[in-house]
Amino acid sequence: MKESDLVIRPYRADDLEGVRAMSDRLSSASLYQRFFVGTPRLPDSYLRSLSTVDHRGRVVLLAVSAAGVHAIAEYIRDAADPATSELAFLVTDPWQRRGLSRPLLMRLATIAASAGVTRFRADVLPENSAARAAIRRYHPGSTFTRLPDSLYRYEFPPLDHRDHEDPRGREAAPQGRTPGPRPFWPKTTDPLTSGRWSRGGQLFLKGLKVRPAR
């Protein structure tokens, strides 16, 4: 399947079975990094929770094709602090390391900005060095605390794509580093936000996960 076949759009109620089918393309390691518990499939409690998606307090985006759902990116606003949202992200194993996470996160950031969300919060496993390094690279001013269950909780503002692209529309590579393979960077229109996204960039916050809402 070509990258151009993918579309990013909001979650709909009729997507539930497509999300459930993602389990067939998720390894136990990927599920553990997302939910922090050993599970062979997407938890039923998480699938039931998708009924709460209202695209205001909880925003969920999917990367989909004719073959099914390949990624989920979402944020859940903190009821006590609506300017803060918990960020969650899950990509099926065949689509990992292909640059899909960044456009999803950029779309979430655009929606967050229009909704008054100024801070993302994410809990990261200590051994998830890739996610922690990405946060430090893209958000050098991010802060973190160590939770009692040994997770790292990071807080940082939503990513602004203008901070990481050069004037020609391609992401400037950090000095001393060469750009990786061309990643997926789709253009899409949906009821929440629209825009023509440039191509360019690299995998951002791979493996960054948070707890699902309870």
Side-chain angles (χ1 to χ4, degrees), residues 154-165:
Y154 285 87
E155 293 192 355
F156 46 89
L159 182 68
D160 185 339
H161 73 285
R162 294 169 297 182
D163 293 339
H164 301 291
E165 290 186 345

Side-chain angles (χ1 to χ4, degrees), residues 1-2 4-7 9 25 63-70:
M1 180 174 55
K2 298 182 297 184
S4 58
D5 293 333
L6 286 179
V7 173
R9 62 166 175 77
R25 303 183 300 280
V64 302
S65 74
V69 180
H70 306 288

Side-chain angles (χ1 to χ4, degrees), residues 6 10-11 16 61 71 85 131 147 174 180 189:
L6 286 179
Y11 173 84
L16 179 60
L61 299 179
S85 290
L147 301 180
T189 302

Side-chain angles (χ1 to χ4, degrees), residues 70-94:
H70 306 288
I72 305 174
E74 63 182 290
Y75 71 68
I76 302 172
R77 299 183 78 164
D78 188 327
D81 180 11
T84 299
S85 290
E86 291 196 48
L87 188 66
F89 201 78
L90 183 64
V91 179
T92 57
D93 286 53

Side-chain angles (χ1 to χ4, degrees), residues 34 46 49-60 74-77 212-213:
R34 170 61 177 85
Y46 175 75
S49 78
L50 291 174
S51 65
T52 68
V53 174
D54 58 6
H55 296 298
R56 294 185 299 276
R58 182 179 182 184
V59 174
V60 179
E74 63 182 290
Y75 71 68
I76 302 172
R77 299 183 78 164

